[in-house]
Amino acid sequence: ARSKNAAIMRSCVLVAAIAGAGATSTLPKVGAAMGVRAPPLGAKQLRVRIDDSWIDLTGWRAGHAKESAGEHWLDLFNEQDATDVFHAFHSEKARKQMLGRLPRVKVAEEARELEAACAPVTQLTRDFRAWKAELEAEGWWSREPLTEAA
């Protein structure tokens, strides 16, 4: 039962992250008509905020697109907070590996400009992230392959 509940919880968090539901209100709206600032193919810079740090994904974009069809997600979150969608799409193990090697925006002035132009992270969003971390620590995202296969 816990495995099925875990799958339901993962789905709920993913839906909240993608849809920009109340708890994740800093996410950009979907669709060019709603103001998505996706860079064109070959754009010079692609930067996103993850866990309050600005990450430069300019060099990462091409490889990520080939490996996981994630190009459109990267583009959608250009110069936006991508924390919730990043955590929703990656396992705890993958997040730990990736966050350590993703390149940070190195110029402090550039990071300040990005931060000033990006929607602030609301208290509701921070509370949601803390709650999700608690659930993860309790094992709600632990995989049980034998049970899941049944």
Side-chain angles (χ1 to χ4, degrees):
R2 188 173 195 65
S3 181
K4 288 183 181 178
N5 288 340
I8 292 168
M9 291 300 292
R10 283 191 300 271
S11 297
C12 289
V13 170
L14 180 60
V15 167
I18 293 169
T24 55
S25 60
T26 62
L27 297 177
K29 295 177 182 175
V30 178
M34 292 189 271
V36 172
R37 296 182 305 182
L41 280 172
K44 294 191 189 264
Q45 295 183 320
L46 174 62
R47 289 99 28 113
V48 299
R49 183 173 60 196
I50 299 174
D51 293 332
D52 296 321
S53 293
W54 284 96
I55 310 293
D56 185 346
L57 297 177
T58 305
W60 186 270
R61 182 180 185 273
H64 197 275
K66 291 176 187 171
E67 292 172 10
S68 65
E71 177 180 284
H72 61 285
W73 289 112
L74 296 177
D75 290 346
L76 179 64
F77 287 90
N78 186 39
E79 298 183 1
Q80 302 294 319
D81 190 289
T83 301
D84 299 302
V85 76
F86 174 79
H87 287 280
F89 276 107
H90 299 91
S91 68
E92 181 180 9
K93 180 181 176 183
R95 291 190 313 259
K96 285 179 181 178
Q97 290 174 347
M98 291 172 66
L99 285 174
R101 67 178 199 238
L102 289 173
R104 303 299 192 262
V105 171
K106 294 179 181 161
V107 179
E109 181 62 28
E110 183 180 351
R112 280 193 295 275
E113 288 175 11
L114 287 165
E115 193 64 36
C118 188
V121 178
T122 66
Q123 187 58 49
L124 183 61
T125 297
R126 291 194 186 279
D127 292 345
F128 172 78
R129 291 174 183 172
W131 177 62
K132 182 185 175 291
E134 287 175 26
L135 292 174
E136 192 171 64
E138 291 173 6
W140 286 97
W141 274 261
S142 297
R143 301 300 305 260
E144 296 179 15
L146 293 177
T147 305
E148 292 173 18

